[in-house]
Amino acid sequence: MSEVMIDAADGGRFSAYVAEPTVTSAGRLAGGLVVIQEIFGVNAVMRELCDWYASQGFLAVCPDLFWRQQPGVQLTDKTEAEWNQAFALMNGMDQDKAVEDLKAALAWVRGQEGCTGKAGSVGYCLGGRLAFMMATRSDADANVGYYGVGLEGLLGEAGKIAKPLLLHIAENDKFSSPDKRDALLAGVKGNKWVTAKVYPGMDHAFARPGGEHYDRDAADEANRLTVEFFRTHLG
């Protein structure tokens, strides 16, 4: 585990947490993953996720997407003050520039000696939205979004998806509504590249360990499918 600096396309540099694969055999290259943060920054949860993906054989990098506002943000979901700060940072983010930063991180991980050259993205919450945008705006080899926010508003870009995309959707997501969920499902139904799985009874962030709505069974299922998906498309 380490931290690196990556050059942004529009100038400046941002930090990223890196976890190297631990289960690849000697001399075997790994697929790369850009792990996209929630609204809490590159905190302990995101670093642990990177470590877990590394344990599954991937070279994982989690870039700091709040660096233009406040570098090094590490919040939790435990206090109202942190939630308020997290929402302020999310609302202050230029998501178009965030995608450009993610593309820079994608190029960085592809260029590492231990990477196969294939790389994808996986994001959570805000990151789930950005993973969808990576599917429509980047050449990532595969993308996964966990309970992305406001995806129904991005359906106008769905026709640009030309690589596999897996969406994990919480049936009872408190940051969405049944109408928005159904609109998303209808909007991607005919796209051969998109797989959308709904988790019955689950709320937002059901896969965040220690979170209010964490559900071990649903999280384990989603994580299993994600690893299988990336092993298939980044192998």
Side-chain angles (χ1 to χ4, degrees):
M1 290 74 73
S2 61
E3 190 172 282
V4 299
M5 299 300 295
I6 298 174
D7 293 327
D10 60 345
R13 309 182 80 203
F14 55 90
S15 65
Y17 179 81
V18 179
E20 297 185 358
T22 56
V23 298
T24 52
S25 59
R28 181 181 175 189
L29 300 180
L33 285 182
V34 179
V35 181
I36 314 175
Q37 64 175 69
E38 296 181 289
I39 62 175
F40 306 107
V42 185
N43 59 4
V45 170
M46 299 312 301
R47 296 195 303 274
E48 289 168 4
L49 275 170
C50 284
D51 295 345
W52 181 77
Y53 281 115
S55 77
Q56 301 302 304
F58 302 100
L59 176 58
V61 55
C62 184
D64 177 5
L65 299 182
F66 288 150
W67 69 279
R68 289 182 173 86
Q69 301 176 75
Q70 182 182 336
V73 170
Q74 295 189 41
L75 302 172
T76 77
D77 60 351
K78 304 306 180 187
T79 69
E80 182 178 359
E82 288 176 294
W83 274 98
N84 291 340
Q85 185 180 355
F87 278 120
L89 287 163
M90 179 185 70
N91 292 331
M93 172 188 279
D94 183 326
Q95 293 188 6
D96 294 331
K97 288 186 176 181
V99 172
E100 292 303 310
D101 291 341
L102 292 169
K103 289 162 71 173
L106 184 74
W108 180 89
V109 74
R110 277 181 171 154
Q112 299 309 295
E113 289 185 1
C115 183
T116 60
K118 287 189 175 183
S121 76
V122 54
Y124 302 79
C125 180
L126 166 64
R129 176 182 175 85
L130 293 172
F132 189 98
M133 295 169 75
M134 285 290 281
T136 64
R137 303 185 187 186
S138 83
D139 66 349
D141 295 290
N143 302 278
V144 175
Y146 283 71
Y147 29 82
V149 180
L151 299 189
E152 72 286 345
L154 297 173
L155 288 173
E157 300 184 30
K160 299 177 182 178
I161 299 172
K163 297 287 181 65
L165 170 65
L166 172 61
L167 300 175
H168 299 296
I169 300 169
E171 181 185 39
N172 299 328
D173 195 318
K174 67 180 180 181
F175 293 119
S176 185
S177 68
D179 288 346
K180 291 178 179 179
R181 180 197 66 225
D182 292 344
L184 171 62
L185 293 172
V188 300
K189 185 176 181 180
N191 192 316
K192 68 177 183 178
W193 297 108
V194 183
T195 301
K197 179 174 173 58
V198 177
Y199 292 78
M202 292 299 103
D203 203 337
H204 190 79
F206 66 81
R208 182 196 302 143
E212 178 184 2
H213 303 298
Y214 177 67
D215 185 280
R216 181 182 296 276
D217 290 341
D220 286 351
E221 173 70 358
N223 292 338
R224 180 186 64 80
L225 292 173
T226 295
V227 168
E228 290 178 355
F229 179 81
F230 282 131
R231 285 178 177 163
T232 297
H233 299 296
L234 303 182

